[in-house]
Amino acid sequence: MAALTNANDQKDPVSAIAVEAVAVAEAAGTTAESATAAAAAPARPAMVLLGEATSPFTRKVRIVAMELGIDASRIELVLPDPMSILPVVPANAVSDMANPLGKVPALLPTPTSPRSDAIYGSQVIAQHLDAAALADGGTEAVILTAYETLLRPEERRWDAWIEGQLSKAWRALAALEERVVAGDVVSGSGDDYGDDGPLDLGTIATGCFIGYFEFRLPHLIAWRDKHPALAAWYAKIQERRSFVATAPTTAGAAPAAQ
């Protein structure tokens, strides 16, 4: 697995985003108070980690998440059914097992995911979180660049800061290119991204990152020439029905951010 890097190393992004969110909210007709509260609201759990706090494998996954900059509130630790991890598993407990081997940890991609969608094995889970964190970190850099260039008056923009954020996005693209070439950018359905194939969080986060990069920074379309393997991968994933239906457009953006 690639060396871990913190995807949230900018200084207090919530405060900066909250300030700019007020301007967007006022332009969209909402109150400054509600916008600030929404930006500062604690994150809801996005994933469920089935495991025991004393398990060294569960601990490894939790440390990986923290080192990647994933807020602890985004992953809910839930104790599995004790009967499902015994050396001899009763027949009535098999249907509740997230890992058919009866081991922890196992990760549910969402709080409502069925047990059959679980990702299990600490190494596999760590790689899954690493891919998602890398894409999310690149996305945050593009969002902060967009705030700076779209919402701030030109005379108040900090060019060096913008370049710093863009460099993070470029590094994320380069790292994802390496993963595509190595064949481990994401797990899921391999080269087949038809509408019936499964996708995991890393796949979705990577596709959303690239889509937003092109939407907000269309003048940097040359990224495709620099990262041809990633560009070919993205060309496939963006044809999937869910990606087509949710593609970003100016019609869906707040007035101040169009």
Side-chain angles (χ1 to χ4, degrees):
M1 193 172 97
L4 303 182
T5 56
N6 193 318
N8 300 316
D9 59 354
Q10 61 267 20
K11 294 182 179 179
D12 194 14
V14 172
S15 298
I17 291 176
V19 172
E20 301 294 1
V22 171
V24 175
E26 289 175 343
T30 58
T31 66
E33 292 79 6
S34 63
T36 303
R44 295 180 178 179
M47 295 168 276
V48 173
L49 180 64
L50 298 172
E52 296 177 296
T54 57
S55 162
F57 298 105
T58 299
R59 185 189 182 202
K60 180 172 73 172
V61 170
R62 297 173 72 192
I63 289 175
V64 166
M66 292 179 184
E67 292 295 332
L68 289 170
I70 299 175
D71 193 293
S73 64
R74 300 292 287 170
I75 302 179
E76 181 183 6
L77 179 64
V78 175
L79 290 174
D81 180 352
M83 298 299 290
S84 68
I85 56 176
L86 291 175
V88 179
V89 180
N92 61 358
V94 173
S95 62
D96 293 329
M97 293 169 57
N99 181 347
L101 299 177
K103 297 180 179 181
V104 293
L107 183 74
L108 297 177
T110 72
T112 58
S113 296
R115 292 291 196 268
S116 59
D117 287 349
I119 301 167
Y120 46 87
S122 60
Q123 185 69 13
V124 176
I125 295 173
Q127 291 173 340
H128 170 84
L129 294 176
D130 194 16
L134 176 61
D136 285 348
T139 302
E140 290 172 3
V142 176
I143 289 174
L144 292 176
T145 299
Y147 273 128
E148 187 76 9
T149 56
L150 295 175
L151 297 178
R152 288 190 188 278
E154 186 173 357
E155 66 274 9
R156 294 180 58 192
R157 293 174 191 166
W158 187 2
D159 291 339
W161 190 84
I162 293 174
E163 288 302 316
Q165 296 303 318
L166 285 176
S167 69
K168 295 178 184 179
W170 281 115
R171 290 197 298 271
L173 289 171
L176 289 168
E177 170 77 4
E178 292 178 0
R179 294 186 178 199
V180 171
V181 172
D184 63 355
V185 59
V186 288
S187 58
S189 50
D191 292 332
D192 181 12
Y193 290 104
D195 286 320
D196 294 331
L199 296 183
D200 66 11
L201 181 61
T203 305
I204 295 169
T206 301
C208 289
F209 162 46
I210 297 174
Y212 194 73
F213 183 95
E214 290 199 332
F215 174 61
R216 286 301 185 200
L217 307 172
H219 59 291
L220 298 179
I221 192 67
W223 79 266
R224 296 191 178 208
D225 296 329
K226 295 181 178 181
H227 308 298
L230 183 61
W233 176 89
Y234 179 64
K236 295 178 182 179
I237 196 69
Q238 69 175 340
E239 294 179 356
R240 191 177 173 102
R241 183 166 53 244
S242 59
F243 277 77
V244 172
T246 60
T249 64
T250 54
Q258 291 180 355

